[in-house]
Amino acid sequence: MEGVKKLFAFLLLLLCTLLLALPEASATRWTVGGNMGWTSNVNYTIWAQGKHFYNGDWLFFVYDRNQMNVLEVNKTDYENCISDHPLHNYTTGAGRDVAPLNVTRHYYFISGKGFCFGGMKLAIRVENPPPPPVASPIKAAASTTLSFSPHILLLPVAFAVGAAWDAFLHFW
């Protein structure tokens, strides 16, 4: 029984260490139209202005499910508000639909049933995320003062938690 407890504590410690080493994912879920949602009388060109949509992000459409829909179309159908042959229909009937942006390209979304003519159309360009920042080289004449970083404490804290767990199991 004691060996099982130690094995469990070791596996828990190993799991915590591995979780700390995993890279951070940074996909963004964009609510189309912000607080207004996917509705008429919103200028989606202005809403999308200044935003960067990256590969791996998501568009979240919130709308009246009884009247509107979410269709991905090509550029010509977008410009002419033609909803007859969409590339993809994201409408699930709940009025809360998500479109994954998993390819670097232009995306064109419209709402059919005449709403596109009222401005319910969105064109965005999805790009690859920027590369992570490169660490600056250390200068030879750099100051010897060290700055405090909370990341330095993560591994010792993980080991402390493991030791505390082992002690808890030992006395249990």
Side-chain angles (χ1 to χ4, degrees), residues 82-95:
I82 299 172
S83 61
D84 296 339
H85 305 289
L87 300 174
H88 195 279
N89 184 348
Y90 288 101
T91 310
T92 61

Side-chain angles (χ1 to χ4, degrees), residues 60-103:
F60 183 50
F61 292 87
V62 180
Y63 59 96
D64 182 351
R65 68 181 182 182
N66 296 316
Q67 295 183 6
M68 301 155 188
N69 57 12
V70 178
L71 306 173
E72 182 184 350
V73 296
N74 62 32
K75 184 178 181 180
T76 304
D77 289 351
Y78 170 82
E79 291 169 347
N80 298 305
C81 288
I82 299 172
S83 61
D84 296 339
H85 305 289
L87 300 174
H88 195 279
N89 184 348
Y90 288 101
T91 310
T92 61
R96 308 281 185 269
D97 297 316
V98 176
L101 305 174
N102 51 13
V103 177

Side-chain angles (χ1 to χ4, degrees), residues 24-30 52-59 100-101 129:
E24 184 178 328
S26 61
T28 301
R29 186 191 78 169
W30 297 95
H52 290 278
F53 300 96
Y54 296 117
N55 191 346
D57 287 354
W58 300 79
L59 292 180
L101 305 174

Side-chain angles (χ1 to χ4, degrees), residues 7-29:
L7 178 64
F8 179 74
F10 174 76
L11 291 176
L12 182 65
L13 179 63
L14 182 64
L15 178 66
C16 290
T17 305
L18 289 175
L19 287 176
L20 292 174
L22 288 176
E24 184 178 328
S26 61
T28 301
R29 186 191 78 169

